[in-house]
């Protein structure tokens, strides 16, 4: 759809865990790191030859059930 010449934006939601992994969250951190890398690569691929924009949202740490458990 985006390759049909129309403009569009891809927004990927990443995590601070991509840059600072935590114990017991290795898989989560690895996938967020890969998503960040993919987004950066796509941004550079599309920035000169298309109307496709790639953005990565990296929110600050958020308290949730998963993040509030005691990890020692």
């Amino acid at each position: 759809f985006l390759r049909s010449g129309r403009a569009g934006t891809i927004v990927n939601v990443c995590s601070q865990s991509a840059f600072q992994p935590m114990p017991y969250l290795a898989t989560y951190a690895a996938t967020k790191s890969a998503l960040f890398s993919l987004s950066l690569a796509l941004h550079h691929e599309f920035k000169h030859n298309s109307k496709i924009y790639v953005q990565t949202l990296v929110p600050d740490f958020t308290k949730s059930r998963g993040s509030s458990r005691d990890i020692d």
Side-chain angles (χ1 to χ4, degrees), residues 41-53:
L42 290 175
H43 166 75
H44 287 288
E45 285 183 29
F46 293 141
K47 74 179 181 179
H48 294 296
N49 300 323
S50 72
K51 298 175 191 171
I52 300 171
Y53 303 96

Side-chain angles (χ1 to χ4, degrees), residues 8-71:
T9 302
I10 299 169
V11 180
N12 290 320
V13 180
C14 205
S15 168
Q16 291 290 333
S17 294
F19 312 106
Q20 186 178 4
M22 303 277 297
Y24 307 106
L25 295 173
T27 302
Y28 179 79
T31 57
K32 292 301 181 175
S33 183
L35 180 62
F36 183 81
S37 182
L38 174 66
S39 299
L40 188 59
L42 290 175
H43 166 75
H44 287 288
E45 285 183 29
F46 293 141
K47 74 179 181 179
H48 294 296
N49 300 323
S50 72
K51 298 175 191 171
I52 300 171
Y53 303 96
V54 181
Q55 299 177 341
T56 307
L57 175 65
V58 184
D60 204 359
F61 286 107
T62 305
K63 188 173 182 173
S64 67
R65 271 192 309 178
S67 68
S68 65
R69 79 179 173 171
D70 191 18
I71 301 174

